[in-house]
Structures are given as structure tokens and as C-alpha cells.
Amino acid sequence: MTGTYDVIIVGAGAAGLMCAATAGYRGRRVLVLDHARKPARKILVAGGGRCNFTHLDSGPEHFLSENPRFCLSALQRYPPLAFLELVERYGIGYEEREPGRLFCRESSRPILDMLLTECRRAGVAIRAGTAVRGIHPREAGFAVATATETLHAESLVVATGGLAMPKAGASGFGYAVARQFGLGVRPTRPALVPLTLPPPLSDALGALAGISVPVRIRCGDAAFEEDLLLTHGSLSGPAALQASSYWDGAAPVSVDWLPGVAVRDELAELRARHPKAGLQRYLAGYLPRRLARELCRLDGWRGPLQGYSNTDLDATAARLQDWRLTPAGTAGYARAEVTAGGVDTGALSSKTMAAREVPGLFFVGEVVDVTGHLGGHNLQWAWASGVAAGRAA
Ligand SMILES: Cc1cc2nc3c(=O)[nH]c(=O)nc-3n(C[C@H](O)[C@H](O)[C@H](O)COP(=O)(O)OP(=O)(O)OC[C@H]3O[C@@H](n4cnc5c(N)ncnc54)[C@H](O)[C@@H]3O)c2cc1C
């Protein structure tokens, strides 16, 4: 192996491997470097070990970014069905769990094996356990310094991901490279992350840890109907994770405990038919008994419904369907699935992921300011942006 390549890719994650195979099939001599001992650990843990590898309806409405339409070109040029075709070609078993969300049937491993096989067939060299110390521009291309040698390439692709899950190799390296070459970096924050609760709510709901209920959660202009999981000290599960991506660190989050239910009408009917029934009994028809009891305790809802005026019923129904709480914070990068923010899309070509002002420099995957909703969108972005750069680098 010589020290000169056409393309060096830093980061052997989902985006880096996809980019590598694409460039390799074009006949480019490609080297992938990763400081972790093994490539793409996040693929293995994704989707609880069954990798939610794409979402059939992936489009701009499922992404946060300073420019949400930036992702469109790459997603159109490499849509979810293109990745699915690859998965099917490799005979990997998959299932659609909820509309559009595709998971591996057995485990994530075959997805990683497929990418590594693609890289091998495309003649890509992968070096794990190799930290990149620095990048230096050259007249034509880049010098990439590792601990032991300096490598050279015409094109450099930064695929180092974000800051989420540091134990899987996450680092701020990509942002540092962007700044080094004069590209903007949008402020980063943990996203798809549990929301921590302030006391005494943390104790009250923490006592119900393990309970999961379907809710409608709102944060700013975003709303999601997903399951909310109560844990010790935090709100988790898909509902809280989705909301967390939109949380500004200060505003309340709103939970509708009974989504789609005409609560006001049902309470009035129950009061008329069973005046001695309490709110807890009503709630227990929809929610786990312990949660129903705790919600009544927290809000001081006691006594039979016959003691509730119409105004009380209005207020109670409104509260149940717009139960506001202000999180204490998030569980941080260690528990986050992704990083929001990142390399400014304004500095990149949406078609090729190339830095507009730095010939030969590309950014792909999570390091870019493109953050998907839960459901396979983040991996689809990794595949699509990786392919976009792989066709051009
Ligand atoms: C627990 C968990 C579950 C998830 N589940 C899903 C899911 O089911 N579906 C979905 O769509 N998304 C999921 N995601 C998000 C998804 O995994 C990421 O968005 C995606 O992996 C990002 O791909 P990437 O290639 O950009 O970055 P990464 O996969 O993070 O890869 C970056 C690589 O760069 C390497 N690297 C970093 N710094 C350096 C350096 N200085 N030198 C050399 N190498 C470096 C890292 O070791 C790593 O291998 C999940 C994330 C987590 C944490």
C-alpha cells in the first residue's frame, strides 16, 4: 500500500463506508481511516441492535437544519428504495415495523457486513485504529497525518459523525477540520435524547419507571404521536426523543396523555351517567392505573365528577391534553442518538457535499447540519450523502 490515494475518507461509519464503496466502484483508489478499533459501531447498536436502516418516506420534512431542503438533492439521487435494493440484493431479512420504518429482522450485523463487502469489492482499503492527527492542504489535495505517517490524497472526505455516543468513537474532529478550512459550524447540541425532569416531578414519574404509553407530544411547532417511556429521572421513548430535537433548553414541552380522545365530551357524559365516578377511574380506562393515580395526585384531581363544574371540566380536559412540563435538561451526548447542528450547509454543494470554497474537501453524514427524525432518517441521510460525495470525490 502506498501513501498516495485518490480519496482519503476519515471515519468508517455509515456515511464513510457508503462513500468509500461508491468512489471505489468508480475506479478511485480509496483509503478509509478510523480511530476506533472496529468500523461503524453505531450501525451495530442502531435500532436497538436491529438497525432501522431507512425510512421509505425520507424527505426534508423529517430533517432539522438551518436549510431543511439541503438534504433533498442527495435523497432524490439516492432514495430509500436504492438502499433497499442493495439490502435485498444481499438477501438481508427486514421488516416494516411502523409505516415506512424498515428494520433488520435479526440483527444489524448483516448491514455492516454488506457495507464492508461492498468496500472490499470496490477495492477500498480500510484502516481501523488509526487516529488522524492533522490535515494539511497541498497544492493539489491534502496531506493527512497519522501517528506514524503522512498520507496524501487528491480528495478528502470528512465522515467523522457528530458528538453523540462518544464511546462509539464520536469526536469533534470534523468540526475542527471545517473551521480550519474556514467553513461555518452551526452550534451543536444532543438530539434524539431523553429529557431529564426537575424534582419533584423526577421522583413522582421516576416511581413509574418502565411505563410506556402512546401520547402526542409537542415542542415548539413540532408534534409527534409516539410512545412515551417513563424512566428514573427522565422522559424517554420515541416521543421524548423526537421532542428533544426541537427543545430549545428552556421552553415547556406539552404532553397530550389521551391523543385523539374527546376528553371534554367524555367527562361530561361520565358525570351525567355516573356522578360518583372520579377522574382516576376515567383515566384508568386509557392509562396504566398507577399513572392515572399519579396524574390525579400531581394535579390535585380528587372527588367525584359531580363536584366538577363545566368550567372545571374544560380546565381538566385542557390540562390532560396539554400537560406542560419544563425539562431540567437532556441526558447529554452520552445518551443521544445524534447531534443537531454541525457543518453549515451553506458552505457545501447539496449535490456533491463538496466544500464550495475548498476544492477536493467533502463533508458527509451526521457531521453536517442535517439531523433526521427518529425512524431511519439519519441512516438514510448517511447513505445518501455518502453516495453523493462518493460520485464526485
Ligand atoms: C444508540 C443509537 C441508535 C441509533 N439508531 C439509529 C437507527 O436505528 N436508525 C437511524 O437512522 N439512525 C440511528 N442512529 C443514528 C445513526 O447511527 C447516525 O446518524 C449515523 O451512524 C451517522 O453516520 P456517520 O457515518 O455520519 O457517523 P458515525 O456512524 O458516527 O461514524 C463516524 C466514524 O468516524 C470515526 N471518527 C470520529 N472521529 C475520528 C477521528 N478523529 N479520526 C478517525 N476516525 C474518527 C468514528 O470512530 C466513527 O466510526 C442511532 C444512533 C445511536 C447512537
Side-chain angles (χ1 to χ4, degrees), residues 11 13-15 34-35 42 46-47 52 159 161 165 169 171 173 337 365-366 376 379:
D34 201 300
H35 63 177
K42 273 192 204 165
N52 179 192
M165 207 180 168
S171 80
F173 183 81
E337 289 202 4
E366 197 180 313
L379 282 173

Side-chain angles (χ1 to χ4, degrees), residues 244-257:
S244 74
S245 297
Y246 288 86
W247 190 53
D248 65 3
V253 168
S254 162
V255 176
D256 176 351
W257 293 104

Side-chain angles (χ1 to χ4, degrees), residues 10-17 33-43 45-48 50-54 103 130-133 159-162 164-165 168-174 192 335-339 364-367 373-382 385:
V10 188
L17 292 178
L33 300 171
D34 201 300
H35 63 177
R37 278 193 305 114
K38 293 194 171 160
R41 273 192 59 197
K42 273 192 204 165
I43 291 180
V45 298
R50 293 200 178 157
C51 193
N52 179 192
F53 57 81
T54 194
F103 286 76
T130 305
V132 175
R133 295 276 167 89
T160 46
M165 207 180 168
S171 80
F173 183 81
L192 297 181
R335 300 271 312 280
E337 289 202 4
V338 286
T339 304
V364 296
E366 197 180 313
V367 72
H373 288 171
L374 202 72
H377 302 286
N378 285 297
L379 282 173
Q380 181 57 36
W381 167 246
S385 59

Side-chain angles (χ1 to χ4, degrees), residues 3-8 138 140-144 151-156:
T4 302
Y5 296 84
D6 295 322
V7 185
I8 290 181
R138 288 284 173 266
F142 303 87
V144 178
L151 304 155
H152 298 269
E154 188 184 321
S155 297
L156 179 78

Side-chain angles (χ1 to χ4, degrees), residues 5-344:
Y5 296 84
D6 295 322
V7 185
I8 290 181
I9 298 171
V10 188
L17 292 178
M18 200 67 186
C19 180
T22 308
Y25 279 130
R26 284 174 50 232
R28 303 287 276 164
R29 288 168 304 147
V30 182
L31 172 68
V32 187
L33 300 171
D34 201 300
H35 63 177
R37 278 193 305 114
K38 293 194 171 160
R41 273 192 59 197
K42 273 192 204 165
I43 291 180
L44 295 181
V45 298
R50 293 200 178 157
C51 193
N52 179 192
F53 57 81
T54 194
H55 192 297
L56 292 174
D57 299 322
S58 216
E61 66 279 17
H62 296 294
F63 289 90
L64 292 88
S65 170
E66 186 64 14
N67 174 9
R69 296 192 66 75
F70 177 81
C71 61
L72 191 58
S73 170
L75 291 173
Q76 281 179 341
R77 286 153 53 85
Y78 191 80
L81 286 180
F83 190 76
L84 186 57
E85 188 272 323
L86 188 61
V87 168
E88 288 181 344
R89 191 153 25 101
Y90 274 76
I92 298 172
Y94 67 91
E95 59 195 15
E96 187 171 358
R97 289 232 191 122
E98 285 157 59
R101 296 183 183 184
L102 302 189
F103 286 76
C104 292
R105 198 174 296 133
E106 305 291 339
S107 89
S108 307
R109 171 61 69 177
I111 296 287
L112 177 54
D113 290 346
M114 173 185 82
L115 292 172
L116 294 175
T117 303
E118 284 290 283
C119 282
R120 202 177 56 247
R121 288 181 180 161
V124 171
I126 300 176
R127 274 196 231 167
T130 305
V132 175
R133 295 276 167 89
I135 310 279
H136 307 286
R138 288 284 173 266
E139 210 167 295
F142 303 87
V144 178
T146 73
T148 53
E149 61 187 323
T150 299
L151 304 155
H152 298 269
E154 188 184 321
S155 297
L156 179 78
V157 182
V158 179
T160 46
L163 298 167
M165 207 180 168
K167 69 176 185 207
S171 80
F173 183 81
Y175 309 130
V177 175
R179 290 191 184 101
Q180 177 190 345
F181 286 92
L183 280 73
V185 177
R186 308 284 317 164
T188 57
R189 63 179 197 283
L192 297 181
V193 61
L195 293 166
T196 57
L197 295 170
L201 202 52
S202 51
D203 297 326
L205 295 185
L208 306 175
I211 286 181
S212 174
V213 285
V215 301
R216 184 167 201 272
I217 197 162
R218 271 194 303 115
C219 189
D221 294 336
F224 299 92
E225 288 203 18
E226 300 266 15
D227 288 348
L228 181 70
L229 173 67
L230 304 178
T231 72
H232 290 288
S234 64
L235 296 180
S236 191
L241 300 192
Q242 299 274 41
S244 74
S245 297
Y246 288 86
W247 190 53
D248 65 3
V253 168
S254 162
V255 176
D256 176 351
W257 293 104
L258 304 173
V261 177
V263 177
R264 173 64 176 80
D265 294 348
E266 289 192 359
L267 285 176
E269 201 183 315
L270 187 63
R271 183 181 60 180
R273 287 216 262 136
H274 302 283
K276 291 200 164 28
L279 193 66
Q280 193 176 317
R281 172 172 150 192
Y282 170 72
L283 286 178
Y286 288 103
L287 301 171
R289 195 170 296 277
R290 286 192 302 140
L291 176 58
R293 193 186 320 128
E294 194 54 35
L295 290 178
C296 289
R297 192 189 69 77
L298 283 168
D299 273 71
W301 289 319
R302 302 185 200 92
L305 284 174
Q306 64 189 6
Y308 285 61
S309 67
N310 282 345
T311 313
D312 291 339
L313 287 196
D314 287 343
T316 306
R319 170 80 176 141
L320 277 168
Q321 300 199 288
D322 184 11
W323 203 82
R324 293 182 193 202
L325 67 131
T326 304
T330 75
Y333 287 115
R335 300 271 312 280
E337 289 202 4
V338 286
T339 304
V343 178
D344 194 339

